[in-house]
Amino acid sequence: MRVKLVCVAGGRPNFPKLAALFRALGTRTDRFETRFVHTGQHSDPRMSKLICEELGLPEPHVDLGVGSATHAVQVAEVMRRFEAVLQAEQPHGVVVAGDLNSTLACALATSKFFRDEPFPFRGKPRRRTVLAHLEAGLRSFDDDMPEEVNRRVTDCLSDLLFVSEPAGEANLCREGVAPERQHFVGNVMVDTLLSLQARAAASDVLARLGLEPRGYALLTLHRPSNVDDERQLRTLLDTLDEIAIELPVVFPVHPRTRARFEAARIRPRSERFLLTEPLGYLDFVKLESSAKVVLTDSGGVQDETTVLGVPCITLRNNTERPITVTEGTNVLGHTTREGILGAYAALHREPRSGRVPRAWDGNAAERAARVLEQAFA
Ligand code: UDP
């Protein structure tokens, strides 16, 4: 049987994960037929089209075009439109990634979808479409983080949970997810990073922005808890202004953050801040690799800096990726002036080189593809 898999991406952090899976499934076209569904949660071309092209993702078979909206409206719209895709495509499986609203919405729609025809799954006939989750088990234990809800619900609905780090397995076991649903495969995002590292190294972004290797800090900021609250955003920018006195700060501004700057009429004060539009993946990875330090509230950037061996200060009070702290180059800077400047000073005293976690080796998607092969039999 040729297994039909619908693979879903909603926005920027999903694309590197799916690109890795498409590469692994692309060598197994005798076993798998794939469809790429883009929900359109991130519709800005710099957050989507450019990155998809650089990553070699296929053109989406379907673009649901949902755009921005409140959580409930976005989830409802994705569910409504994705259910029509399920009906038309009749997939054996759906693969979702990460923790976006689109991830949750497509997981929920899939969990109640029955194909017209039965198919074999783990040695038994089944009609309900199988749900697989890439990057399962991560938990920040912070229920104020919208993504945490998306992670928990998606995991409890998934049949195949592809786990990237040991904490993921521990979290799933604690939540009662049966061991046979869990598959430790490693970090699929790292597959893409390693496969494109040489191309990223050739990017001329440093010259374009007038930067020297290790002569700048790279900043990303977009978590609602950091940018939606004006006081918190001001505290962060004032603190980062202090760092900019010592080290220029390159800041590709996320559209959500740009909108907050405009609404609250605030922005960094220091002239040593270099604000850019969101960057393509290759330019961004080049900037990450050559930075003296990366300051971020992104999830994926914590993983990438650990693999690149670049110091990372996470501008949050928690991380769902604890291995980046225990083994990698990441430290929690929290969200206060004292926390961030303390972490920055500590880096100077004692730079962290870290080590690359187990199975963050470029072959995670290959391992996931093997699990998929065995499961649909
Ligand atoms: N990224 C990018 N351009 C940028 C900033 C980030 O290509 O200007 C990439 C980055 O390399 C990583 C992914 O976007 O692969 C992380 O996505 P994001 O920070 O938006 O989401 P999160 O990981 O926090 O969910």
Side-chain angles (χ1 to χ4, degrees), residues 217-220 240 243 293-298 301-302 305 310-316 329-336 339-348 352:
L218 176 64
L219 169 67
T220 77
L240 296 162
I243 291 178
V293 57
V294 175
L295 299 134
T296 191
D297 61 6
S298 157
V301 172
Q302 296 172 58
T305 44
V310 173
C312 177
I313 299 176
T314 292
L315 307 174
R316 287 173 42 191
T329 55
N330 191 16
V331 289
L332 288 185
H334 300 273
T335 53
T336 58
I340 298 163
L341 294 182
Y344 183 71
L347 275 186
H348 282 289
R352 286 166 68 94

Side-chain angles (χ1 to χ4, degrees), residues 173-186:
C173 288
R174 207 176 30 250
E175 291 172 20
V177 175
E180 56 271 22
R181 285 164 60 201
Q182 303 178 30
H183 301 276
F184 184 93
V185 295

